[in-house]
Amino acid sequence: MTATDALPQPSSAATQSAFLRAARGEPVPHTPIWFMRQAGRSLPEYRAIREGTTMLESCMRPDLVVEITLQPVRRYGVDAAIFFSDIVLPLKAVGVDLEIQPGVGPVVASPVKSLADLEPVRPVTPADVSYITESVQELVQQLGGTPLIGFAGAPFTVASYLVEGGPSKDHAKTKAMMHGDPKLWHALADRLADVAIAYLSVQIEAGASAIQLFDSWAGGLSARDYAEFVQPHSAKVFDALAQYGVPRLHFGVNTGELLGLMSEAGADVVGVDWRVPLDEAVRRITAASGAPKPVQGNLDPALLIAGWDAIEPQIDRILAEGKAAPGHIFNLGHGVPPTTDPEVLDKIVKAVQQKSKRA
C-alpha cells in the first residue's frame, strides 16, 4: 500500500483541472488562474461575514472557513481555491500565546530567546485541529472539479514572528540569531519544519489537491544566508510531503535572487513576484535545478488600480513569458490588496482564461 492509497482522492474533474495539469507540467485547456488572498478584505461578502469575529476565530470555525474559501470561486470562477486560514494558526492550536492584531499582524507574547522558549512549539495533531479536517472535507465536496490548495508558513517566515515578536521590516533579531546563535536558530527552524509538515499533512489527508509553502519574508535574506539557514528546513518540509504525490508550490516576496535555491528546496512549482519576468525566472530555475519547472505569477498587485488599459498589456506579456515554462499558473506577484475592486479581478480572470484558450 502506498502513502496515498488511504487518502481521499480528488474527483477526476479536479485531477484533470487546468490548475493541476499546469502544476504537473502537462498540456492545459487554458492557463489557470487564481489569486493569493483572493478570499479576503477586497470582497464585501467577506467583510460582512467576518464582522465581529477575529481572524483566528474565523479560521477555527468550519462554517466560516468553508464560506470564505468558496466566495472568490463563486464570484470569479478562478481555477483553484486557497484554503482560508493563517500561517500562525498551528502555533495557536498548540498553545503558543499569540494574537493577530488588526492592522498589525501576528503578535507573540513571549518571543523566542533561548532553547527553553521552544518548549511550546510542537507539531499539531489531527485532534488539535479537527476543525481543519472538517473544513477541508466539506470544501472538497462542495468544490467538485475545482482543486483546493492547502498552505502553511515556511520555517523562516514563521520563525521571524516568533523571534521578532511580531512583523518586522528588517528581521534584525532573526538574522542576529542565525549568525549569533546558530544552534538555537536551527533548533527553532527544525521544529517549525515539523509544524509545517504536520499541518500540511492534515490538509492533504483531508483532501487538499495541492499545497503552497509561503516564505513571505525570505526575500530579506542574502542567497548565502538562505542556503545555510533556511533552505535545509524548507527542503525537510517538501521531502516529507513528497509521499503524498500532490503538487508542492513555493512562494516568497522579493526572492528573485533566491529562485534557484527555492526550486532546489523541492518545489514542484515556483512562485515568482513581479520583479522578475517569468522567462528569466525559468532561466534561473533551470540553471539551478538542471531542468525547467512550472512557475506561478506574476502581475504586480499595484496595477489593479491602474485601469484596464494598463492591465491588459501586462496580462499579454505575462502569458507570453509564461510559455517558457513547462507549466504556468497565472497569479499576482503577491496578494490581492484590500482596496481592490472585485470587478477588476473578475475581468482579469475572464481575460486570462479567454486569451490563453488552446484550440
Side-chain angles (χ1 to χ4, degrees):
M1 177 178 289
T2 67
T4 59
D5 284 345
L7 300 182
Q9 297 301 307
S11 68
S12 58
T15 300
Q16 295 304 313
S17 65
F19 171 81
L20 288 178
R21 290 180 67 86
R24 296 191 298 259
E26 299 171 358
V28 292
H30 63 268
T31 298
I33 176 172
W34 69 282
F35 302 108
M36 288 179 280
R37 293 185 189 153
Q38 64 187 14
R41 291 172 290 173
S42 65
L43 293 176
E45 56 265 43
Y46 170 84
R47 295 193 295 272
I49 200 171
R50 274 284 318 280
E51 189 171 356
T53 307
T54 69
M55 178 63 181
L56 286 173
E57 288 172 342
S58 300
C59 296
M60 295 177 182
R61 283 181 49 183
D63 60 327
L64 292 182
V65 172
V66 170
E67 172 59 22
I68 291 169
T69 302
L70 291 173
Q71 286 175 348
V73 179
R74 291 195 205 104
R75 182 184 271 266
Y76 304 131
V78 286
D79 291 291
I82 180 77
F83 186 64
F84 176 74
S85 189
D86 191 272
I87 63 172
V88 299
L89 181 65
L91 297 179
K92 183 70 173 181
V94 298
V96 175
D97 190 358
L98 61 84
E99 297 295 337
I100 298 177
Q101 295 185 2
V104 178
V107 176
V108 178
S110 301
V112 171
K113 296 179 181 178
S114 70
L115 286 169
D117 295 329
L118 302 185
E119 175 115 17
V121 182
R122 65 164 176 84
V124 295
T125 67
D128 293 321
V129 288
S130 58
Y131 46 85
I132 299 293
T133 298
E134 180 181 344
S135 299
V136 172
Q137 289 175 339
E138 178 63 24
L139 278 165
V140 170
Q141 183 175 1
Q142 293 203 34
L143 284 165
T146 302
L148 176 66
I149 306 168
F151 79 92
F156 170 77
T157 290
V158 178
S160 73
Y161 288 114
L162 288 174
V163 175
E164 305 286 343
S168 170
K169 291 183 178 180
D170 56 13
H171 309 290
K173 294 178 182 177
T174 308
K175 294 178 183 180
M177 180 184 290
M178 286 176 170
H179 290 277
D181 194 345
K183 180 179 178 181
L184 175 57
W185 167 259
H186 285 296
L188 171 60
D190 186 65
R191 285 200 179 211
L192 291 174
D194 290 337
V195 169
I197 292 165
Y199 188 51
L200 290 168
S201 295
V202 167
Q203 294 173 65
I204 295 169
E205 290 175 10
S209 296
I211 60 94
Q212 178 156 305
L213 191 66
F214 282 90
D215 213 350
S216 306
W217 310 133
L221 299 172
S222 68
R224 182 182 296 107
D225 283 355
Y226 180 89
E228 180 177 353
F229 297 109
V230 177
Q231 188 188 43
H233 303 290
S234 293
K236 179 180 180 180
V237 178
F238 286 125
D239 288 347
L241 299 176
Q243 62 176 322
Y244 292 111
V246 303
R248 298 158 297 171
L249 292 72
H250 201 13
F251 173 76
V253 183
N254 200 18
T255 52
E257 298 303 316
L258 306 178
L259 291 173
L261 292 168
M262 293 176 73
S263 173
E264 286 183 310
D268 300 307
V269 180
V270 181
V272 185
D273 80 357
W274 65 92
R275 295 171 177 86
V276 178
L278 290 181
D279 49 0
E280 171 60 16
V282 173
R283 188 193 68 77
R284 297 181 187 186
I285 292 164
T286 303
S289 302
K293 289 185 176 183
V295 293
Q296 179 174 273
N298 65 340
L299 183 68
D300 187 341
L303 296 181
L304 297 179
I305 61 172
W308 189 249
D309 288 344
I311 295 172
E312 188 172 25
Q314 299 306 312
I315 292 175
D316 293 337
R317 174 184 61 80
I318 292 164
L319 287 173
E321 292 169 356
K323 291 178 181 178
H328 173 212
I329 299 165
F330 198 102
N331 208 308
L332 301 180
H334 198 197
V336 175
T339 56
T340 301
D341 180 353
E343 295 303 316
V344 173
L345 296 181
D346 185 62
K347 197 169 184 179
I348 291 172
V349 171
K350 289 180 171 56
V352 168
Q353 292 172 339
Q354 184 60 41
K355 286 174 179 287
S356 66
K357 191 173 182 179
R358 276 50 163 184

